[in-house]
Amino acid sequence: MKQGGIAAWNIAPLFKGLGLASMVIVFFCNSYYIMILVWGLFYLVHSLTDTLPWATCGHAWNTEQCAELFHLELCRNGSSNASAGTGPFNLSCADLASKRSPVIEFWENKVLRLSGDLSEPGEMNWQMILCLVTTWVVVYFCIWKGVKSTGKIVYFTALFPYVVLILLLVHGVTLPGALGGIVYYLKPDWSKLAEAQVWIDAGTQIFFSYAIGLGALTALGSYNRFHNNCYRDAYILAVINSSTSFFAGFVVFSVLGFMASEQGVDISKVAESGPGLAFIAYPKAVTLMPLSPLWATLFFFMLLVLGLDSQVQQGDRYGEGMGWHVPAEPRSLPQFVGVEGFITGILDLFPQPGAGSLRRELTAAVCCVVCCLIDLSMVTQGGMYVFQLFDNYSASGITLLWQAFWECVVIAWVYGADRFMDDVARMIGYRPLPFMKWCWAVVTPLVCVGIFVFHVVNYKPLTYNKTYVYPWWGDAIGWVLALSSMLCIPCTVLYKLLRCKGSLREVRAVWRGPSRLRPQPISAIL
């Protein structure tokens, strides 16, 4: 259709709320997910030193419990002399077990400056504000005009992360305790399948990592040639994406296994889940390598590259192979996919073909400024609690399952699965396997409904690091974030039905719009 995440749902006008819901989700995602890049930039700046600040104790943010070397083998052998901090002193085994790694203290006390409660926002971190503004400025100028990348640069940005991960893995598996970490990673705990949160986390991982339901893939696909083999690309995306995630797990858990062995605790107690896992395990890994500041710089540069990687195409999104001849304003293919998907959807919602590039620049600027203002709540001492609210409610879990369910229902049962198969065949030259149709019509909706109901029935208040339980009003804010996108779909259906005149049979055309892949007069399309 050569349309963004909103206009693409003209195939079923009654359910255009799906596009609005995806825009709400991707807006929230843009608002909070950039904090990963902000933290990465903060670590990158602090990597440009002779000694990594998270490798040693003795800094202003360290506590008395900080220990660089644990020497548990001495404790096990009955010796009471162990080295902790910067010098040796007598420690009992109990005292040694309560010590904390400088990597964890750097994350919690220096980066997050974590307060004790969601109701205690505390002070803003001016260093994090500077990183936040810098990151949004970079994102804006990437989307504003675009950066024309040569083929060699694209090869570098695509392969460089794998080189860094392989080198980290090669070194990680040689560490004592690494095998235990890998076994912990691969050995399943079948009892966890009875927990609703496990299924929600699994669904979130797949839907979020593939950007399903966010409208971003729709925006990117609108730049493709009409006969691009999107069917093949879907398989390639799934295989490469999940394979990379699986491979990266070996890197993380080899280091976590070493840290657990070093501290004499269970792996599950080394670091909390979520972003803290990456900002504890990977920084710890680079401290164990020769020339650690260099490796830390490469790793966090890789993290920024993954977020800001660019490949620009200019040109007409419309008309090719479709018999349409509508002038399109020039677009740049995204650097930060979520922001691009949101801007593309907004511009397609209010099309002005002759407006030129200024309209796009202003829209991008407003989007970046609004998101940056929201992010200020996440650079306070209570910012991690706010971040986790957004992460667990606004753009993951139940919201994506709800969105995916209705997308499948509308495509398979409203627009028609066979009709959609014909449209894909018209593009790629052959019909996809019948298995795909059954996935759209039956399998995916049932899986989404099952996990959704399972989560609602077994709902538990949100927690941070398995210790802090969010207050009731914190969970209420989270549900407001979730419902702000979920209600877009039924509210839009109700609004359109109430506005239509005549009987339900007379307005049946609202349910199924004409196929947009057949050449039609422009008046019919509009």
Side-chain angles (χ1 to χ4, degrees):
M1 290 188 64
K2 303 285 184 179
Q3 296 289 333
I6 296 180
W9 289 101
N10 287 333
I11 60 173
L14 185 63
F15 293 92
K16 204 170 182 177
L18 280 166
L20 297 176
S22 69
M23 289 299 100
V24 173
I25 294 174
V26 81
F27 174 76
F28 286 140
C29 183
N30 294 338
S31 300
Y32 84 90
Y33 200 72
I34 200 172
M35 289 303 300
I36 302 296
L37 298 180
V38 173
W39 294 326
L41 179 59
F42 187 84
Y43 271 86
L44 177 61
V45 173
H46 283 78
S47 300
L48 305 176
T49 57
D50 294 333
T51 302
L52 295 176
W54 57 83
T56 59
C57 298
H59 301 281
W61 58 82
N62 291 127
T63 66
E64 294 180 355
Q65 300 301 317
C66 181
E68 299 172 25
L69 301 174
F70 288 81
H71 288 308
L72 288 175
E73 70 281 359
L74 298 179
C75 179
R76 295 191 187 99
N77 292 330
S79 173
S80 62
N81 187 15
S83 175
T86 57
F89 55 91
N90 292 330
L91 287 175
S92 67
C93 292
D95 291 335
L96 198 60
S98 66
K99 292 296 180 179
R100 306 183 77 225
S101 169
V103 178
I104 297 177
E105 292 207 338
F106 180 84
W107 167 247
E108 293 184 351
N109 301 341
K110 175 63 175 178
V111 180
L112 301 181
R113 300 185 181 182
L114 198 62
S115 66
D117 193 89
L118 177 63
S119 61
E120 302 174 5
E123 300 177 352
M124 287 189 177
N125 186 339
W126 69 267
Q127 293 177 319
M128 296 302 295
I129 294 176
L130 188 59
C131 291
L132 173 65
V133 173
T134 301
T135 306
W136 271 116
V137 168
V138 173
V139 169
Y140 171 72
F141 281 105
C142 284
I143 297 173
W144 176 50
K145 292 294 186 182
V147 181
K148 294 186 177 181
S149 303
T150 63
K152 292 182 180 179
I153 294 178
V154 172
Y155 279 120
F156 169 76
T157 56
L159 299 177
F160 177 66
Y162 290 97
V163 174
V164 175
L165 288 176
I166 290 173
L167 292 174
L168 290 175
L169 177 63
V170 170
H171 185 75
V173 295
T174 63
L175 299 172
L179 180 60
I182 293 175
V183 170
Y184 181 86
Y185 174 49
L186 297 177
K187 185 179 180 180
D189 182 358
W190 299 110
S191 64
K192 293 291 185 180
L193 294 179
E195 298 181 11
Q197 190 60 42
V198 171
W199 290 94
I200 285 292
D201 290 341
T204 298
Q205 167 66 17
I206 294 300
F207 285 88
F208 196 84
S209 64
Y210 291 174
I212 295 174
L214 300 179
L217 290 180
T218 309
L220 296 183
S222 67
Y223 294 90
N224 281 333
R225 295 181 179 275
F226 180 75
H227 294 293
N228 177 69
N229 195 331
C230 56
Y231 180 60
R232 177 200 59 202
D233 291 349
Y235 280 103
I236 294 175
L237 170 67
V239 171
I240 294 179
N241 197 325
S242 290
S243 298
T244 302
S245 298
F246 182 66
F247 172 71
F250 286 92
V251 183
V252 172
F253 279 88
S254 64
V255 178
L256 290 181
F258 166 74
M259 294 178 65
S261 175
E262 180 189 47
Q263 299 177 25
V265 298
D266 188 77
I267 296 178
S268 62
K269 299 179 181 179
V270 173
E272 75 275 11
S273 61
L277 189 63
F279 287 101
I280 290 175
Y282 285 115
K284 179 63 177 181
V286 296
T287 62
L288 305 173
M289 303 180 72
L291 300 175
S292 55
L294 173 61
W295 286 108
T297 302
L298 290 176
F299 172 76
F300 290 110
F301 175 72
M302 174 198 74
L303 189 67
L304 295 178
V305 165
L306 290 174
L308 300 172
D309 188 14
S310 62
Q311 180 183 359
V312 174
Q313 294 178 354
Q314 296 280 350
D316 190 354
R317 288 195 324 179
Y318 298 78
E320 182 171 350
M322 301 172 66
W324 300 0
H325 303 284
V326 183
E329 52 186 294
R331 303 278 178 87
S332 62
L333 202 61
Q335 284 71 40
F336 194 37
V337 175
V339 180
E340 173 67 21
F342 180 76
I343 294 173
T344 301
I346 295 299
L347 294 177
D348 286 342
L349 186 62
F350 306 101
Q352 294 181 14
S357 61
L358 179 61
R359 176 169 171 262
R360 175 188 176 79
E361 295 167 10
L362 292 176
T363 304
V366 172
C367 173
C368 291
V369 169
V370 172
C371 290
C372 186
L373 292 176
I374 295 175
D375 290 334
L376 290 177
S377 64
M378 303 180 198
V379 295
T380 62
Q381 290 176 295
M384 174 52 78
Y385 302 121
V386 179
F387 175 89
Q388 197 172 35
L389 269 182
F390 275 80
D391 189 40
N392 281 269
Y393 286 101
S394 68
S396 60
I398 56 175
T399 56
L400 294 182
L401 290 170
W402 175 268
Q403 179 78 4
F405 168 78
W406 284 108
E407 286 189 6
C408 286
V409 168
V410 171
I411 289 294
W413 298 100
V414 179
Y415 183 77
D418 289 324
R419 194 180 182 193
F420 194 74
M421 293 275 280
D422 292 339
D423 291 338
V424 175
R426 190 172 292 108
M427 296 171 62
I428 66 177
Y430 60 93
R431 288 174 64 89
L433 294 174
F435 167 76
M436 299 298 295
K437 181 176 69 173
W438 289 106
C439 281
W440 302 332
V442 180
V443 178
T444 302
L446 288 180
V447 170
C448 290
V449 168
I451 298 177
F452 184 89
V453 172
F454 191 30
H455 174 70
V456 172
V457 172
N458 296 275
Y459 173 76
K460 296 179 181 179
L462 183 62
T463 61
Y464 174 73
N465 201 15
K466 302 179 182 179
T467 55
Y468 171 72
V469 180
Y470 277 67
W472 68 268
W473 55 269
D475 280 306
I477 293 174
W479 279 106
V480 169
L481 294 174
L483 292 175
S484 62
S485 63
M486 297 171 66
L487 292 180
C488 285
I489 302 170
C491 288
T492 303
V493 171
L494 182 62
Y495 172 75
K496 286 184 174 290
L497 288 177
L498 292 177
R499 286 197 63 193
C500 289
K501 297 180 180 180
S503 65
L504 186 61
R505 176 175 295 183
E506 292 172 336
V507 300
R508 183 177 179 273
V510 175
W511 286 71
R512 299 179 65 182
S515 175
R516 298 302 191 240
L517 295 183
R518 298 181 179 88
Q520 304 172 66
I522 188 63
S523 59
I525 298 168
L526 298 178

